[in-house]
């Protein structure tokens, strides 16, 4: 099953994955790490070389470009993020290709204890005969989301080389810092200038995602009363004890990520730092519905107030700020972007699958900011860890899917 895009996609992913572009949650700068400029500048150059127009690297670290339409139609944005996840080693990625996968266990050159087996990962069992790309065992691969970048670059190159193919105007955006939730700069929707858009940042063939969590982040600060422990009787208020009490009072057995799935939301303590005089607790709140999210915020405030009531000499504050909202709220008012993707999927003989994502995408923010942006499959699997893999042939299907979708959008215009 050779597809004309196979070798190009493989070459692109292998090249892009080898470039370190990890983002960093703790960095205040934008983009969060300078290394992301290495791949951003490369993509800027490559887009210019293939003949894309308006190529530009913005000060917030997004590479933008235009593929002019060959026929009238809506302006469609194609997005992928260049950063890799901070959760696992992403420096010195050595991608390798297992050509014509034989259906057995895949082992790793740099870690003999690692095994990628079709028993543990049934989706892999379906990929016999495919060319499988993995890392070498000590790093993640970064197909998340350099698969998306490779797919968009390949589709763009193909369209620019074949100006007889009918499609409307296309805007491309390669963005930084998606993995730390900072991929959508304030100026991006306007700079993108698309009627609607797609992120290529999904997994299995046929996945078309337009429902994400709604998300808030809370920061609780507990200020105690600090005094030398030798003279503390009746005076000291230890912030550590109160912070612990807050965590212990929140529902751990019913509402944390490790005990919820499906459409249930959660609260999740991500960080607790400080000392006896002051403690900070960071908590993220997730729910598919606004009401559920608001209830979780209210619960947090009530627990803080209850613990505060036990110790009036302490000060407990709870700041909750919005992160992103379920994109379904906007998309269900106009399902055109989702329907187009579903039609393109069926045209290629695949049944589209839409499962709510227990997380967010750059599309969640973009949709809220006025550019409806569902998320589409690329083939990436086991992301954010050493067992990450992707099939070259899956990426080729995703590329065909992208081109089919763009063609359909122009036809319907
Ligand atoms: Zn991603």
């Amino acid at each position: 099953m050779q597809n004309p895009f196979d070798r190009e996609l493989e070459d692109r992913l292998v090249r892009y994955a080898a470039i370190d572009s990890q983002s960093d949650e703790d960095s205040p700068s934008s983009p969060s790490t300078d290394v992301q400029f290495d791949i951003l500048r490369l993509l800027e150059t490559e887009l210019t070389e293939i003949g894309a127009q308006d190529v530009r690297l913005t000060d917030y670290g997004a590479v933008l470009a235009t593929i002019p339409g060959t026929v009238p139609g809506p302006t469609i944005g194609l997005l992928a993020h260049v950063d890799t996840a901070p959760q696992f080693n992403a420096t010195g990625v050595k991608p390798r290709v297992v050509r014509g996968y034989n259906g057995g266990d895949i082992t790793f050159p740099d870690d003999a204890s690692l095994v990628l087996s079709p028993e543990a990962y049934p989706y892999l069992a379906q990929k016999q005969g495919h060319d499988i790309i993995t890392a070498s065992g000590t790093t993640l691969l970064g197909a998340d989301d350099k698969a998306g970048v490779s797919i968009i670059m390949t589709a763009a190159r193909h369209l620019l080389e074949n100006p007889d193919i009918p499609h409307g105007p296309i805007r491309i955006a390669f963005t930084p810092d998606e993995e730390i939730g900072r991929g959508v700069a304030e100026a991006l929707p306007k700079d993108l200038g698309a009627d609607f858009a797609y992120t290529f940042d999904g997994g299995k063939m046929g996945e078309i995602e337009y429902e994400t969590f709604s998300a808030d982040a809370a920061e609780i600060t507990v200020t105690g009363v600090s005094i030398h422990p030798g003279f503390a009787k009746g005076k000291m208020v230890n912030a550590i004890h109160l912070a612990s009490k807050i965590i212990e009072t929140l529902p751990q057995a019913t509402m944390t990520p490790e005990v919820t799935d499906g459409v249930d939301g959660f609260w999740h303590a991500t960080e607790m730092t400080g000392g006896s005089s002051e403690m900070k607790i960071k908590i993220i709140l997730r729910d598919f519905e606004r009401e559920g999210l608001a209830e979780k915020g209210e619960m947090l405030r009530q627990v803080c107030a209850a613990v505060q009531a036990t110790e009036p000499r302490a000060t407990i504050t709870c700041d909750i700020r919005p992160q992103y909202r379920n994109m379904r709220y906007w998309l269900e008012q106009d399902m055109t972007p989702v329907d187009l993707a579903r039609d393109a999927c069926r045209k290629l003989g695949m049944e589209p699958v839409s499962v709510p994502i227990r997380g967010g995408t750059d599309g969640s923010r973009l949709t809220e900011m006025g550019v409806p942006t569902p998320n589409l499959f690329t083939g990436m699997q086991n992301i954010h860890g050493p067992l990450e893999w992707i099939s070259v042939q899956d990426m080729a299907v995703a590329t065909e899917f992208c081109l089919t979708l763009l063609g359909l959008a122009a036809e319907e215009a």
Side-chain angles (χ1 to χ4, degrees), residues 12-62:
R12 287 191 188 278
L13 181 59
V14 166
R15 280 193 301 117
Y16 299 152
I19 302 167
D20 182 6
S21 58
Q22 195 172 35
S23 50
D24 176 7
E25 202 149 31
D26 297 322
S27 158
S29 63
S30 168
S32 67
T33 54
D34 276 344
V35 288
Q36 292 182 78
F37 278 116
D38 294 348
I39 187 165
L40 288 165
R41 288 201 190 96
L42 175 73
L43 292 169
E44 183 188 20
T45 304
E46 291 191 355
L47 280 163
T48 307
E49 281 168 1
I50 63 173
Q53 296 187 4
D54 315 324
V55 180
R56 130 173 127 94
L57 175 54
T58 69
D59 57 358
Y60 50 88

Side-chain angles (χ1 to χ4, degrees), residues 135-150:
S136 63
T138 51
T139 66
L140 50 70
L141 173 63
D144 177 10
D145 184 24
K146 287 162 182 169
V149 175
S150 305

Side-chain angles (χ1 to χ4, degrees), residues 55-78:
V55 180
R56 130 173 127 94
L57 175 54
T58 69
D59 57 358
Y60 50 88
V63 175
L64 304 174
T66 303
I67 303 173
T70 55
V71 295
T75 301
I76 298 182
L78 304 177

Side-chain angles (χ1 to χ4, degrees), residues 123 127 204-208 341-353 377 393-394 396-402 404:
Y123 188 67
K127 303 299 166 188
K204 292 176 186 163
M205 297 294 93
E207 279 180 2
I208 294 164
R342 285 177 167 162
D343 289 348
C345 205
R346 291 197 184 97
K347 206 170 167 189
L348 293 177
M350 287 177 294
E351 200 40 46
V353 184
F377 64 86
Q393 284 73 17
D394 276 8
V397 173
T399 308
E400 293 284 4
F401 168 62
C402 176
T404 305

Side-chain angles (χ1 to χ4, degrees), residues 149-161:
V149 175
S150 305
I151 289 161
I152 293 169
M153 283 298 293
T154 302
R157 196 272 313 145
H158 179 74
L159 292 177
L160 287 162
E161 258 175 32

Side-chain angles (χ1 to χ4, degrees), residues 81 83 143-146 178-179 200-202 375 380 383-384:
H81 64 90
D83 64 315
D144 177 10
D145 184 24
K146 287 162 182 169
E178 189 271 353
E179 297 288 0
F200 279 83
D201 196 15
N375 186 39
M380 65 171 87
I383 57 172
H384 299 192

